[in-house]
Amino acid sequence: NAGVTQTPKFQVLKTGQSMTLQCAQDMNHEYMSWYRQDPGMGLRLIHYSVGAGITDQGEVPNGYNVSRSTTEDFPLRLLSAAPSQTSVYFCASRPAGGGDTQYFGPGTRLTVL
Amino acid sequence: GEDVEQSLFLSVREGDSSVINCTYTDSSSTYLYWYKQEPGAGLQLLTYIFSNMDMKQDQRLTVLLNKKDKHLSLRIADTQTGDSAIYFCAENPGGSYIPTFGRGTSLIVHP
């Protein structure tokens, strides 16, 4: 299994540009989520999904959209990038059922100029 | 991350024990987790403890849980330079499958 994969690893955008961060998992996990990590702020939940066709907002959803058309993929869209969205983005997945951990991808480092 | 509190930094000498502390707020959390993040990498689960346990030991790692005080600690025995990383405490409030993370504690191990 490849686990959780994210692309790209690095990205530089200009203010106002849009882009999609890709996330895929091959473990047939029901739950997937997106976090951003900022210095001194830890991990903050952006959006999550409990299954294909179901998404919900996390702590900091503004400026981001998600969709979950398949179990495997959970892309994160930045609609109009802003410097405040400069961060490291992590995708995670986990199976349904209690106790199991989340599996994290390697992250995407995004800089918005 | 406001519901899970950790100190931001800890510095220890190689060979000493490290103790990283965490406080959480939701007494209904059924699992509490410790994750490790090495530089430039994602988070990896280090260990977790079920809420009806007081202690869990796994090789050099000892997790202590005080439910009354909502306090969780991670002890690393014989700390090595390879243990230098950021350690995140996490809870799953209300049994949620989406854990809430603390801000992370940067562990620095020096010779």
Side-chain angles (χ1 to χ4, degrees):
Chain A
N1 285 351
V4 181
T5 57
Q6 291 184 239
T7 56
K9 288 188 177 180
F10 302 94
Q11 182 70 50
V12 179
L13 292 177
K14 294 181 180 178
T15 297
Q17 286 185 313
S18 62
M19 80 157 293
T20 300
L21 308 186
Q22 301 292 342
C23 174
Q25 52 92 8
D26 61 358
M27 298 172 282
N28 203 32
H29 286 171
E30 290 86 348
Y31 294 172
M32 296 186 75
S33 50
W34 275 103
Y35 295 87
R36 59 177 289 173
Q37 184 179 27
D38 303 293
M41 298 294 290
L43 287 173
R44 291 184 291 172
L45 182 66
I46 305 171
H47 285 284
Y48 65 98
S49 168
V50 298
I54 306 169
T55 64
D56 208 345
Q57 296 181 349
E59 183 185 353
V60 288
N62 292 342
Y64 307 94
N65 272 356
V66 291
S67 59
R68 185 93 180 271
S69 55
T70 66
T71 300
E72 294 78 20
D73 300 298
F74 191 43
L76 178 73
R77 296 183 188 86
L78 279 70
L79 309 172
S80 177
S84 61
Q85 294 178 304
T86 293
S87 188
V88 181
Y89 291 85
F90 290 101
C91 179
S93 74
R94 67 171 297 166
D100 266 320
T101 181
Q102 291 204 96
Y103 295 83
F104 281 83
T108 294
R109 185 175 294 274
L110 176 68
T111 301
V112 183
L113 303 175
Chain B
E2 293 180 1
D3 295 336
V4 181
E5 297 286 340
Q6 303 177 240
S7 55
L8 292 182
F9 298 99
L10 176 65
S11 178
V12 300
R13 187 168 299 193
E14 191 174 16
D16 288 350
S17 291
S18 308
V19 179
I20 303 172
N21 294 302
C22 168
T23 57
Y24 61 98
T25 58
D26 197 316
S27 58
S28 68
S29 291
T30 50
Y31 291 91
L32 295 130
Y33 306 90
W34 283 105
Y35 285 81
K36 178 182 181 182
Q37 184 183 32
E38 297 185 349
L43 278 70
Q44 287 189 310
L45 180 72
L46 203 55
T47 186
Y48 67 90
I49 188 168
F50 191 51
S51 59
N52 69 353
M53 297 170 65
D54 297 325
M55 185 181 84
K56 180 179 180 181
Q57 187 148 5
D58 183 2
Q59 298 182 334
R60 292 191 297 122
L61 306 178
T62 303
V63 178
L64 296 177
L65 175 60
N66 181 330
K67 283 193 70 176
K68 175 176 172 290
D69 296 335
K70 298 190 184 66
H71 183 265
L72 184 73
S73 68
L74 173 69
R75 179 177 180 269
I76 305 173
D78 187 25
T79 312
Q80 303 298 307
T81 54
D83 295 323
S84 293
I86 303 175
Y87 291 82
F88 290 90
C89 172
E91 62 171 345
N92 64 332
S96 166
Y97 294 124
I98 307 294
T100 299
F101 288 84
R103 296 186 176 190
T105 299
S106 289
L107 175 64
I108 301 163
V109 183
H110 55 89

